[in-house]
C-alpha cells in the first residue's frame, strides 16, 4: 500500500514543486494537504520548514500517520466536507479526480489558499471544457464514495481562473515515472488514465 512506484512518484512531484518555488519559499508556510493517503508528501514539506495540516477520508490511513509539532493529521471526507480555515498553500495532488464534484473542490481550494494552490490530477484527453463522472472501485487509493471525476485540462484552467488564480501548467519529464506520464500529446479522444496526468502551479491574483 503506497509503496513501490508511489515512493518514486512522491519524490518526483515534491521535487517538481520545490524546484519551481525554491525550498526557502516553504519555510514557515502553512500547508493543507488534501487526500494525503500514506504517501508522505506532507512529511517532506515539514522537513523544509512548513507547518502541514493533512487530511484523508479514510480513517485507516490517518490512524497510521504520525503527527509532530509541525504535522497535524485529521479525517475529512472531501465529498462531504472541507477543512475550515485559511492556509498559505493548498496541495491537491491526485485527489480531485477521486471526488464527485471537481468544480466544487477547486472552488473550495481557491477560497482556502492565501497564496498558492497546486493541483495535480488524471485528465480527460479533450480540448473541450468538460468534466465527466465515472464509477471507481472502493480500493484504498480510489474514490471513497465510489464516484470519481475526470476533468479536461481546459476545465481545470477555467475553474482556477474564474476563482481568482493565475496558473502555470507543469510541462516536463521530471514527474514521469513507471506508471504516470505528464508529457503526452492530446489526441482529443476522451481517453483517461495514468498516461494523461497534469499538474498546475496556481497563484492568487493580486
Amino acid at each position: 500500500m503506497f509503496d513501490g512506484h508511489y515512493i518514486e512518484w512522491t519524490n518526483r512531484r515534491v521535487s517538481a514543486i520545490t524546484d519551481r518555488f525554491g525550498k526557502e519559499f516553504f519555510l514557515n508556510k502553512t500547508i493543507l494537504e488534501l487526500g494525503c493517503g500514506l504517501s508522505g508528501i506532507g512529511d517532506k514539506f515539514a522537513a523544509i520548514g512548513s507547518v502541514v495540516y493533512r487530511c484523508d477520508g479514510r480513517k485507516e490511513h490517518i490512524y497510521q500517520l504520525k503527527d509532530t509539532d509541525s504535522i497535524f493529521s485529521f479525517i475529512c471526507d472531501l465529498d462531504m466536507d472541507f477543512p475550515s480555515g485559511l492556509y498559505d498553500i493548498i496541495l491537491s495532488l491526485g485527489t480531485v479526480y477521486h471526488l464527485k464534484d471537481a468544480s466544487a473542490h477547486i472552488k473550495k481550494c481557491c477560497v482556502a489558499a492565501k497564496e498558492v494552490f497546486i493541483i495535480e490530477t488524471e485528465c480527460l484527453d479533450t480540448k473541450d471544457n468538460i468534466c465527466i463522472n465515472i464509477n471507481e472501485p472502493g480500493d484504498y487509493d480510489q474514490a471513497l464514495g465510489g464516484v470519481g471525476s475526470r476533468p479536461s485540462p481546459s476545465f481545470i484552467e477555467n475553474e482556477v481562473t474564474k476563482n481568482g488564480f493565475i496558473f502555470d501548467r507543469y510541462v516536463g519529464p521530471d514527474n514521469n515515472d513507471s506508471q504516470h506520464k505528464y508529457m503526452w500529446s492530446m489526441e482529443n479522444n476522451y481517453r483517461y488514465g495514468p498516461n494523461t496526468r497534469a499538474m498546475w502551479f496556481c497563484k492568487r491574483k493580486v
Side-chain angles (χ1 to χ4, degrees), residues 9 13 92-96 118-121 182 197-199:
W9 187 32
R13 287 185 291 174
S92 179
L93 306 180
T95 299
V96 67
I118 301 173
I119 182 168
E120 184 269 337
T121 184
Y182 294 79
R197 298 193 77 96
M199 182 164 72

Side-chain angles (χ1 to χ4, degrees), residues 144-156:
L144 183 63
V147 179
S149 59
R150 295 300 184 272
S152 69
S154 60
F155 179 90
I156 295 287

Side-chain angles (χ1 to χ4, degrees), residues 114-195:
K114 292 193 287 186
E115 298 180 39
V116 171
F117 168 36
I118 301 173
I119 182 168
E120 184 269 337
T121 184
E122 187 176 294
C123 294
L124 187 68
D125 183 352
T126 177
K127 297 177 182 178
D128 298 336
N129 177 18
I130 191 171
C131 182
I132 64 171
N133 287 122
I134 68 166
N135 293 325
E136 290 189 357
D139 297 342
Y140 69 93
D141 62 350
Q142 299 296 306
L144 183 63
V147 179
S149 59
R150 295 300 184 272
S152 69
S154 60
F155 179 90
I156 295 287
E157 292 166 3
N158 182 67
E159 293 294 317
V160 166
T161 300
K162 76 180 186 182
N163 282 290
F165 279 70
I166 57 175
F167 64 85
D168 178 18
R169 181 175 173 180
Y170 170 86
V171 179
D174 296 339
N175 266 9
N176 292 345
D177 68 5
S178 59
Q179 296 194 34
H180 305 89
K181 303 302 178 188
Y182 294 79
M183 293 187 69
W184 48 278
S185 298
M186 184 169 287
E187 299 175 6
N188 207 35
N189 59 5
Y190 279 65
R191 66 183 171 123
Y192 56 83
N195 290 328

Side-chain angles (χ1 to χ4, degrees), residues 25-37:
F25 174 78
F26 296 93
L27 183 63
N28 298 321
K29 297 290 188 183
T30 55
I31 294 179
L32 174 62
E33 182 190 2
L34 299 165
C36 63

